[in-house]
């Protein structure tokens, strides 16, 4: 695996990793345009990825994030220690605010977490009520995405002196509002919002 220390390079590199792997294994993902069950999920990404996405947002996408961000922060405040939180959120079928007419509205800039979630199985098993059986989502593509994420996390630590991981819509919302400079100030902001730490809350590394 080569170096990919910007989100744009990591996205491209992962797409190539996935294409090579799927071809080698003769796997054909059943993921298709218009199939968006995974977009009901709780997606986590790093600040660097979120910042790379920000300049591509349309005014309508920003408006939806400004509405949805506070709602997700409130859910997280209540549920960040609940072991079943992501599953409850998924069951709630709240679509990602970047989903537009059943299609990802930021497809070229979608996070590594979205790119790495693939299945070659029955798409009906991706739906929240189906409770996908073990192995439904291809494990190797997910691990490939995770490795690309980890490389970006190291880059973020070098650039900012710390790593910030959080949920997609709420992190974009916080960045749109403007995060303060420095780890201590970011930590204080997240503490005040009640969304830092716990099992599913924002993480600083
Ligand atoms: S960023 Fe795109 S692919 Fe990812 S959850 Fe949102 S709409 Fe779906």
């Amino acid at each position: 695996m080569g170096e990919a220390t910007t989100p744009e390079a990591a996205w491209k590199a992962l797409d190539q990793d996935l294409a090579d792997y799927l071809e080698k294994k003769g796997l054909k993902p059943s993921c298709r345009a218009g199939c968006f069950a995974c977009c009901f999920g709780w997606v986590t990404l790093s600040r660097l990825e979120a910042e790379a996405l920000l300049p591509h947002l349309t005014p309508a996408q920003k408006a939806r994030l400004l509405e949805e961000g506070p709602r997700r922060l409130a859910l997280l405040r209540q549920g960040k220690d609940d072991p079943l939180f992501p599953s409850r959120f998924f069951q709630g079928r709240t679509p990602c605010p970047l989903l537009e007419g059943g299609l990802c509205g930021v497809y070229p800039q979608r996070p590594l977490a979205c790119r790495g979630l693939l299945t070659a199985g029955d798409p009906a098993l991706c739906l929240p009520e189906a409770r996908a059986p073990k192995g439904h989502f291809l494990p190797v593509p997910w691990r490939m995405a995770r490795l690309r994420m980890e490389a970006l996390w190291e880059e973020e630590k070098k650039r900012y002196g710390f790593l910030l991981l959080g949920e997609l819509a709420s992190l974009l919302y916080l960045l749109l509002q403007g995060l303060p400079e420095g780890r201590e100030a970011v930590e204080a902001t997240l503490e005040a919002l009640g969304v830092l730490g716990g099992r599913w809350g924002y993480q600083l590394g």
Side-chain angles (χ1 to χ4, degrees), residues 38-39 43 96 98-99 104-106 110-111 114 168:
C38 54
C39 302
V43 176
C96 172
L98 301 176
L99 189 70
C104 177
V106 293
R110 70 199 187 287
C114 303
L168 172 73

Side-chain angles (χ1 to χ4, degrees), residues 34-43 68 71-72 75 85-99 102 114 117 123 126-129 137 167-168:
C35 182
F36 53 84
C38 54
C39 302
F40 294 133
W42 188 259
V43 176
E68 180 65 7
R71 199 187 77 84
R72 294 199 180 197
L75 284 177
F85 176 74
S87 146
R88 289 191 215 281
F89 181 82
F90 190 44
Q91 302 290 327
R93 282 178 167 266
T94 310
C96 172
L98 301 176
L99 189 70
C114 303
L117 195 66
C126 298
L127 289 165
E129 61 274 17
F137 294 107
E167 185 274 330
L168 172 73

Side-chain angles (χ1 to χ4, degrees), residues 24-93:
K24 195 167 137 209
K25 293 288 174 188
L27 286 167
K28 284 201 189 335
S30 41
C31 308
R32 294 280 176 274
C35 182
F36 53 84
C38 54
C39 302
F40 294 133
W42 188 259
V43 176
T44 298
L45 80 174
S46 64
R47 175 186 188 157
L48 269 194
E49 271 200 283
E51 285 178 340
L53 212 164
L54 269 188
H56 300 279
L57 294 173
T58 64
Q61 289 167 349
K62 285 184 192 168
R64 290 200 299 276
L65 287 163
L66 292 175
E67 199 176 316
E68 180 65 7
R71 199 187 77 84
R72 294 199 180 197
L73 288 170
L75 284 177
L76 192 55
R77 189 157 51 241
Q78 291 158 11
K80 68 186 171 74
D81 294 311
D82 174 358
L84 297 177
F85 176 74
S87 146
R88 289 191 215 281
F89 181 82
F90 190 44
Q91 302 290 327
R93 282 178 167 266

